[in-house]
Amino acid sequence: MSILSDAWDYLTTAQNWTGANGITSPTFDGGWRFSRDSILGLGLEHLWLSVAAVVLAIAVALPLGIFLGHVRKGGTATVVVSNVTRAMPTLALLTLFAASAIGYGNQAVILAAAIFAFPPVLTNAYTGMADVDPDIRDAALGQGLTRRQVALKVELPLAIPLIAAGLRTSMVQTVATVPLAALVAGGGLGVIINEGLATQRYGQVLAGAVLVALLSLGIDAIMARLQRAATPQPLREAAMAA
Amino acid sequence: MDSVPNPWFSLDYLTRNWSEVSEQLWIHTTLTLQAVLIALAIAVPLGIAARRIPRLAGPIMGTTGVLYTIPSFALFGLLAPFTGIGRTTVLIGLVAYALLVLVRNIVVGLQGVDRDVVDAARGQGYTSGRMLWHVEFPLALPSIIAGIRIATVTTVALVTVGVVVGYGGLGQLMFRGLQSDYRAQIMTATILCLALALVFDLILMLVGRALTPWTRRRPA
């Protein structure tokens, strides 16, 4: 299998990891960017794009989901949002953004990826808050807690396992989506795949695919740990069973 | 930069290029249908096997999880040297991804069947084959149909990535629109994609309702 050995060669060549001129390279305006010929640089860029997208999504989706779940309104709307984004091709958003005022490159990528990172966070925050046992809410209100305290001190801790699961899904999904960035001149590990396709070096394509898959699995493992750590002790067994 | 008008919406584009747009729309539609049907034909026996032989359930579900982390972009590219550029390559990739969603939902659906119902059926003398088709399968149907709906909608979106091997249906229009900075072309293809997904989803929802009349008579 020449593709397999080509992929192996690609992955075992030191210069492919460090780049010909280091992990970062200077830009014309005096700044710097990740080198497009370094696996390490592209990997870091991949992580940065994914994290930026997910943070952007969290900033909007988490408060919104927590609020909507607390007041138990807008359930249908959250379902509609997640269904529409599932039908929306990533390529469509990327090309639309690239052709708009946002332009080519990483900005379009972060925005598009953020939109796809949005629904899992929103729906899980909503469901987690809305599905808290009504008796528990009543008991908390009866004890004299304000609605705000009920939301933040009773419902939120009970919703944490689901919220954490949503963040995990969102993050892993984003890491696997970001490779498409290479099609609109963005960075990340997709560049390796895209370059391989363009030059018909399929070993390099395989190497790129393996790198992305490993990164996704690694992120998933880390997120699983965080999810466990964030879940209050008494809820852990229930969360594992679910 | 914007000295030449470059509108996002243009009916003119659609009427002038209808033959090309309709051709890609047709490719997109048939590719989706073909992929989901093939995936279903493979997923049903796999799902049943996972249910019948519990030892297989772990590996089948685990593999589906790992496969999902491989970017579609790379999968299409990797298949290209073996299956060439074009329809077959895209079809294989689409079937693989649809398969994951379908197998999962079939297994979950079958696992969700009430043990008491199965015991009752066995007590009435159902053989295992008859039990599967007349008791377990109908009860798992809502979950299976939900899986088919998700698989179909995601497949419609995924076809566009076929651009990588030059066979992306409406994605072809999006990418060409990007390369020539023709906004109306990208927007038209995007809207048609969403509409196609919506139409498929509505049809499947109606089919699902017709197949599972008992779910509607549940006390509210």
Side-chain angles (χ1 to χ4, degrees):
Chain A
M1 282 303 289
S2 72
I3 292 183
L4 280 182
S5 62
D6 285 353
W8 180 252
D9 287 345
Y10 183 84
L11 288 173
T12 49
T13 306
Q15 195 189 312
N16 287 337
W17 287 84
T18 56
N21 301 302
I23 292 171
T24 59
S25 36
T27 54
F28 295 111
D29 54 8
W32 61 275
R33 58 171 219 173
F34 291 108
S35 301
R36 292 278 153 95
D37 61 349
S38 149
I39 296 176
L40 288 175
L42 289 171
L44 286 173
E45 192 172 25
H46 200 109
L47 274 180
W48 140 244
L49 292 175
S50 311
V51 170
V54 172
V55 166
L56 212 60
I58 289 175
V60 183
L62 199 55
L64 192 65
I66 288 175
F67 174 74
L68 290 177
H70 175 65
V71 298
R72 285 166 177 68
K73 289 213 171 84
T76 330
T78 59
V79 173
V80 169
V81 166
S82 70
N83 283 349
V84 170
T85 49
R86 189 178 286 137
M88 184 72 159
T90 320
L91 185 73
L93 264 193
L94 278 173
T95 49
L96 279 177
F97 285 163
S100 73
I102 301 163
Y104 281 80
N106 285 343
Q107 257 176 331
V109 175
I110 292 177
L111 266 181
I115 288 175
F116 288 103
F118 188 82
V121 182
L122 180 72
T123 44
N124 279 38
Y126 178 86
T127 324
M129 294 290 284
D131 282 1
V132 169
D133 191 340
D135 291 347
I136 298 180
R137 285 161 52 91
D138 284 348
L141 282 171
Q143 283 186 315
L145 268 70
T146 62
R147 287 188 61 87
R148 196 189 159 83
Q149 284 173 322
V150 172
L152 296 179
K153 302 208 162 151
V154 179
E155 290 174 330
L156 190 57
L158 288 171
I160 286 287
L162 255 184
I163 293 179
L167 295 185
R168 180 175 163 192
T169 312
S170 167
M171 187 71 203
V172 174
Q173 199 179 294
T174 307
V175 170
T177 309
V178 164
L180 277 173
L183 289 178
V184 296
L189 293 170
V191 171
I192 298 173
I193 301 171
N194 200 32
E195 208 180 81
L197 284 173
T199 54
Q200 301 202 353
R201 289 187 191 132
Y202 294 106
Q204 188 179 333
V205 177
L206 177 60
V210 168
L211 287 169
V212 175
L214 286 180
L215 190 65
S216 300
L217 291 175
I219 293 285
D220 189 44
I222 294 172
M223 294 301 285
R225 290 220 156 179
L226 288 180
Q227 185 185 354
R228 211 186 124 75
T231 308
Q233 198 89 45
L235 290 179
R236 268 184 205 166
E237 229 154 80
M240 289 302 130
Chain B
M1 176 184 154
D2 278 324
S3 50
V4 182
N6 191 3
W8 287 106
F9 300 95
S10 160
L11 211 57
D12 203 32
Y13 163 76
L14 196 60
T15 47
R16 278 172 197 242
N17 297 280
W18 177 244
S19 68
E20 190 198 17
V21 173
S22 61
E23 190 195 335
Q24 296 295 356
L25 185 62
W26 176 248
I27 290 175
H28 209 115
T29 312
T30 53
L31 207 48
T32 307
L33 277 176
Q34 213 179 346
V36 174
L37 287 177
I38 295 175
L40 199 59
I42 305 174
V44 170
L46 267 184
I48 292 171
R51 180 69 193 128
R52 280 291 139 99
I53 311 160
R55 255 188 312 145
L56 286 180
I60 288 179
M61 301 290 262
T63 323
T64 58
V66 173
L67 269 173
Y68 227 88
T69 63
I70 298 173
S72 46
F73 183 43
L75 185 65
F76 288 147
L78 279 176
L79 289 169
F82 304 104
T83 53
I85 295 272
R87 190 173 181 112
T88 322
T89 307
V90 181
L91 193 59
I92 295 173
L94 292 175
V95 168
Y97 285 107
L99 201 56
L100 311 180
V101 180
L102 289 174
V103 170
R104 249 160 210 260
N105 275 53
I106 292 173
V107 171
V108 169
L110 288 176
Q111 273 172 350
V113 176
D114 195 338
R115 285 290 93 192
D116 293 347
V117 175
V118 175
D119 284 345
R122 188 170 294 133
Q124 286 187 316
Y126 273 83
T127 60
S128 102
R130 266 174 62 87
M131 172 112 69
L132 185 66
W133 290 114
H134 293 282
V135 179
E136 289 177 287
F137 217 70
L139 285 173
L141 211 50
S143 165
I144 296 173
I145 290 167
I148 298 176
R149 285 175 66 181
I150 296 176
T152 309
V153 170
T154 41
T155 302
V156 171
L158 207 56
V159 170
T160 59
V161 181
V163 154
V164 181
V165 289
Y167 205 87
L170 294 167
Q172 220 59 35
L173 299 181
M174 290 172 198
F175 200 60
R176 213 132 30 75
L178 180 73
Q179 286 171 327
S180 53
D181 194 23
Y182 192 0
R183 290 173 173 171
Q185 194 172 22
I186 305 177
M187 191 51 105
T188 308
T190 306
I191 291 172
L192 284 175
C193 245
L194 286 174
L196 187 61
L198 188 70
V199 169
F200 270 132
D201 200 42
L202 274 179
I203 293 174
L204 285 170
M205 191 187 80
L206 293 177
V207 170
R209 278 196 182 190
L211 287 178
T212 58
W214 62 88
T215 52
R216 268 173 294 154
R217 263 184 265 122
R218 219 177 262 157

